């Protein structure tokens, strides 16, 4: 809606349609009798100016307080989930005037039990009217979703989708496609018979997230479909243990000297990137995900070849706003809302960073 139409009043609609204010009011709120001719006139004008009922007036008039809960991983400064959190905060600030408050509940992304603890107590402790869920633990998210379904509480997914559930909406990329694209970016820069290193982060025994598994599936499918003849070698690394990581990577590169490409399916690309930088391995092409500061620094230096971004701040923002619009304006969003899969290289990085949400 542009500036000119954003302040359209009911009296303006009435004048443009050549009907009374009362007629416009009855059409907008679907109450009372209106002739078919006048209804068509009013609806035509409403569509033309993209008229929306006054959100603030409607919510304040109802005097209902809405409580949203966002369940996301805890994070450190500059990490991926900080961007999701900022988007949630931005939406919360905009919807506060509409009698909406947002509570963020944090779980450990490497400990499924911390998510389960939140899920067990959610409805009793928080009594939410709507929930935003980061979908790292698929089975646990599905169980929570079914609980929310039984209570008719709308919920949205962010980060990765879980098809077959009754979520109000999903905001994020298509993880499989993002993996497919990563393979294409990598294979086009290395010999078809060279090897590829896949870096996985293992923390307290946790395996890959729902997102990471889907990306890997898409990555491997591209290689298979395009006749890639090299081998894949996986190495498990640890967050915050440089000595361990360097030893594991030294062994991998010495054992498999044909490695020319590498991929990391989450935001920890910087771990492998720092190793390549320290060892001076400038011939390795590295593709990863997410524009966290540690990754973008290595991208700007040419250590990371490409990063695939998924607009996390937009995901958090759109997720909260969709709950607001659904409960107050009675608007049903599209069930799947895909973010652009942004491909960043050294040369276009600064332009992207200057145009974030």
């Amino acid at each position: 809606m542009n500036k000119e139409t954003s302040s359209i009043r009911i009296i303006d609609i009435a004048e443009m349609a050549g009907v009374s204010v009362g007629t416009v009011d009855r059409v907008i709120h679907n109450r009372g009798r209106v002739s078919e001719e006048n209804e068509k006139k009013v609806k035509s004008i409403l569509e033309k100016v993209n008229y929306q009922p006054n959100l603030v007036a409607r919510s304040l008039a109802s005097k209902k307080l809405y409580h949203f809960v966002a369940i996301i991983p805890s994070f450190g400064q500059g990490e991926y989930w900080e961007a999701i959190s900022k988007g949630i905060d931005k939406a919360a600030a905009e919807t506060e005037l509409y009698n909406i408050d947002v509570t963020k509940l944090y779980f450990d992304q490497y400990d499924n039990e911390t998510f389960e603890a939140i899920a067990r107590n959610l409805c009793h402790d928080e009594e939410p009217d709507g929930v935003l869920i980061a979908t790292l633990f698929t089975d646990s998210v599905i169980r929570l979703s079914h609980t929310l379904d039984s209570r008719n509480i709308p919920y949205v997914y962010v980060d990765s989708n879980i098809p077959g559930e009754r979520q109000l909406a999903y905001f994020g990329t298509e993880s499989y496609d993002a993996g497919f694209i990563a393979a294409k970016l990598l294979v086009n820069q290395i010999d078809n018979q060279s090897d590829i290193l896949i870096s996985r982060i293992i923390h307290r025994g946790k395996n890959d997230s729902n997102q990471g598994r889907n990306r890997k599936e898409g990555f491997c499918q591209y290689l298979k479909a395009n006749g890639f003849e090299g081998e894949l070698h996986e190495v498990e690394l640890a967050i915050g243990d440089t000595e361990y990581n360097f030893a594991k990577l030294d062994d991998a590169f010495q054992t498999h000297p044909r490695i020319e490409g590498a991929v990391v399916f989450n935001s920890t690309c910087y771990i492998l990137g720092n190793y390549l930088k320290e060892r001076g391995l400038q011939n390795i092409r590295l593709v990863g995900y997410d524009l966290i500061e540690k990754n973008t620094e290595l991208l700007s230096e040419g250590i990371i070849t490409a990063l695939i971004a998924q607009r996390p701040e937009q995901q958090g923002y759109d997720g909260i706003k969709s709950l607001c619009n659904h409960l107050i304006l009675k608007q049903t969003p599209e069930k799947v809302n895909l973010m652009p899969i942004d491909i960043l290289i050294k040369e276009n990085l600064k332009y992207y960073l200057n145009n974030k949400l």
Side-chain angles (χ1 to χ4, degrees):
M1 189 188 309
N2 60 37
K3 182 177 180 181
E4 190 172 301
T5 60
S6 63
S7 59
I8 288 288
R9 303 167 300 169
I10 289 181
I11 190 173
D12 300 318
I13 301 295
E15 291 179 358
M16 296 169 71
V19 299
S20 69
V21 171
T23 297
V24 176
D25 181 77
R26 288 191 290 275
V27 172
I28 290 176
H29 297 100
N30 192 29
R31 61 190 179 203
R33 298 181 61 182
V34 178
S35 70
E36 182 178 351
E37 179 182 359
N38 284 342
E39 183 177 7
K40 286 182 178 179
K41 288 180 181 180
V42 173
K43 287 185 175 179
S44 175
I45 298 300
L46 292 175
E47 182 177 353
K48 182 178 180 180
V49 302
N50 191 24
Y51 175 80
Q52 296 289 343
N54 189 308
L55 186 59
V56 177
R58 176 176 290 189
S59 58
L60 292 179
S62 71
K63 296 183 180 180
K64 175 175 172 57
L65 301 178
Y66 294 90
H67 180 49
F68 296 165
V69 173
I71 306 173
I72 62 174
S74 55
F75 54 83
Q77 184 176 0
E79 293 183 354
Y80 170 78
W81 289 101
E82 181 181 30
I84 293 268
S85 181
K86 286 182 178 179
I88 292 170
D89 290 343
K90 186 175 188 291
E94 292 182 9
T95 58
E96 185 178 7
L97 292 175
Y98 315 148
N99 288 339
I100 292 173
D101 75 272
V102 181
T103 298
K104 288 183 286 188
L105 301 179
Y106 300 101
F107 63 91
D108 184 339
Q109 62 183 301
Y110 302 108
D111 186 352
N112 189 24
E113 178 53 34
T114 62
F115 182 95
E116 288 281 1
I118 291 175
R120 284 193 297 270
N121 300 317
L122 178 65
C123 294
H124 179 267
D125 293 347
E126 297 294 334
E127 299 181 351
D129 295 293
V131 184
L132 179 147
I133 309 172
T135 56
L136 275 71
F137 305 110
T138 304
D139 292 342
S140 296
V141 170
I142 290 175
R143 284 192 291 272
L144 172 58
S145 299
H146 292 174
T147 298
L148 296 174
D149 290 338
S150 69
R151 296 171 179 263
N152 293 317
I153 299 173
Y155 54 94
V156 299
Y157 292 158
V158 296
D159 189 52
S160 62
N161 200 13
I162 303 178
E165 298 308 309
R166 296 173 59 189
Q167 66 272 30
L168 175 68
Y170 163 65
F171 297 92
T173 58
E174 178 55 68
S175 305
Y176 179 94
D177 291 345
F180 198 89
I181 289 171
K184 187 171 185 177
L185 288 170
L186 195 56
V187 168
N188 286 342
Q189 300 183 68
I190 63 177
D191 187 87
N192 191 56
Q193 296 180 332
S194 61
D195 294 350
I196 294 175
L197 182 72
I198 297 177
S199 170
R200 301 173 63 235
I201 297 297
I202 299 297
H203 190 67
R204 297 202 295 274
K206 178 188 179 296
N207 294 320
D208 293 331
S209 66
N210 180 43
Q211 178 86 282
R213 288 192 299 271
N214 292 337
R215 286 171 175 170
K216 182 180 178 182
E217 183 182 352
F219 185 90
C220 292
Q221 180 57 38
Y222 178 88
L223 299 183
K224 180 180 179 181
N226 288 274
F228 183 72
E229 298 178 6
E231 296 184 8
L232 302 181
H233 307 287
E234 293 198 23
V235 59
E236 296 181 352
L237 305 179
I239 293 177
D241 193 338
T242 302
E243 183 178 352
Y244 170 84
N245 292 338
F246 272 49
K248 293 283 287 187
L249 290 167
D250 282 341
D251 179 66
F253 281 101
Q254 290 168 11
T255 305
H256 310 290
R258 294 182 57 81
I259 293 175
E260 292 185 8
V263 63
V264 183
F265 293 121
N266 59 28
S267 61
T268 62
C269 189
Y270 62 88
I271 294 177
L272 181 50
N274 285 330
Y275 170 84
L276 298 178
K277 179 179 179 180
E278 182 68 23
R279 291 291 191 253
L281 299 178
Q282 299 178 356
N283 62 320
I284 304 298
R285 300 292 177 260
L286 172 59
V287 175
Y289 293 81
D290 303 323
L291 267 69
I292 66 172
E293 185 176 350
K294 292 178 180 179
N295 286 342
T296 56
E297 288 177 357
L298 291 168
L299 180 64
S300 65
E301 295 174 19
I303 306 299
I304 294 176
T305 306
L307 286 172
I308 298 173
Q310 54 183 333
R311 307 194 184 187
E313 193 167 343
Q314 189 75 48
Q315 294 180 42
Y317 177 84
D318 288 348
I320 295 299
K321 289 301 289 285
S322 70
L323 289 170
C324 172
N325 292 340
H326 175 70
L327 289 172
I328 296 177
L329 284 181
K330 310 305 179 185
Q331 295 177 347
T332 301
E334 294 291 333
K335 187 163 186 176
V336 177
N337 302 271
L338 295 179
M339 300 289 110
I341 298 177
D342 298 320
I343 300 172
L344 285 303
I345 58 177
K346 178 180 179 180
E347 289 74 16
N348 71 349
L349 176 62
K350 66 179 181 181
Y351 302 103
Y352 184 84
L353 294 177
N354 288 337
N355 288 278
K356 293 174 67 177
L357 174 68

